[in-house]
Amino acid sequence: MYIKNGVMGMKKASIMDDEFYLGLAGKLAARNKMRLAIPIASVIADSDGIIGIGENRRINDNSMVEHAEIVAIEDGGRESITRLQNATLYTTLAPCLMCTGAITLFSIPRVVIGDNKTFAGYVDILHDHGVEVIVMPQPKLTDLLATYIDKFPDVWAEDNGGQ
């Protein structure tokens, strides 16, 4: 076990566990909601464990680009570039166009999505670039975002360029 940015995880996982890492992303999203931030989070992991974690920090950092997927990629640092090419990105919400571009740019081969009802994302572009996409519907994540959107519709409208 190890702690990174206050999150406990497994440093050396012998197998990829989609439920574990998507569950971890869900816990991060719930923690983000408690901070009054957009409750979206991502975890990137490979067979050696967690590469990076990210929470949507647009509100906290007054940023237009700090989506959870981008923050998770950045969290891995430059040395993670080769690991990303054998990793899975776990995200609580289907990736927007910007995050889809980052996934394809860094050749992340696999994405696991917890909610594609709230926002369908750009799964077709991921498929076109050879990315394996798995949707594991998580009703708690959908509810978490629905509650947030009801409370902060204007903030939500900003999150994907007003779409």
Side-chain angles (χ1 to χ4, degrees), residues 82-119:
T82 54
R83 287 183 68 193
L84 290 175
Q85 296 169 0
N86 295 302
T88 298
L89 184 144
Y90 299 89
T91 184
T92 58
L93 184 67
C96 72
L97 187 56
M98 176 180 67
C99 296
T100 295
I103 292 164
T104 61
L105 176 67
F106 293 108
S107 302
I108 298 171
R110 189 167 181 267
V111 175
V112 176
I113 299 168
D115 174 17
N116 68 341
K117 287 185 178 184
T118 305
F119 179 74

Side-chain angles (χ1 to χ4, degrees), residues 1-19:
M1 296 297 251
Y2 84 108
I3 297 179
K4 182 170 187 167
N5 296 339
V7 177
M8 189 177 304
M10 297 175 66
K11 182 65 174 170
K12 294 275 186 184
S14 59
I15 60 170
M16 294 301 294
D17 183 345
D18 292 344
E19 289 181 3

Side-chain angles (χ1 to χ4, degrees), residues 9-117:
M10 297 175 66
K11 182 65 174 170
K12 294 275 186 184
S14 59
I15 60 170
M16 294 301 294
D17 183 345
D18 292 344
E19 289 181 3
F20 173 79
Y21 288 118
L22 189 56
L24 178 57
K27 289 176 184 172
L28 292 169
R31 180 175 81 171
N32 224 28
K33 184 181 179 191
M34 291 173 33
R35 297 175 179 164
L36 299 178
I38 299 170
I40 302 170
S42 293
V43 174
I44 304 173
D46 65 6
S47 60
D48 288 332
I50 294 174
I51 297 169
I53 59 173
E55 297 159 293
N56 186 304
R57 297 199 313 224
R58 283 192 342 90
I59 303 304
N60 304 49
D61 293 353
N62 194 30
S63 168
M64 292 302 293
V65 297
E66 289 191 6
H67 287 202
E69 297 90 339
I70 301 296
V71 174
I73 291 168
E74 179 69 17
D75 186 50
R78 288 181 53 221
E79 66 277 357
S80 72
I81 188 70
T82 54
R83 287 183 68 193
L84 290 175
Q85 296 169 0
N86 295 302
T88 298
L89 184 144
Y90 299 89
T91 184
T92 58
L93 184 67
C96 72
L97 187 56
M98 176 180 67
C99 296
T100 295
I103 292 164
T104 61
L105 176 67
F106 293 108
S107 302
I108 298 171
R110 189 167 181 267
V111 175
V112 176
I113 299 168
D115 174 17
N116 68 341
K117 287 185 178 184

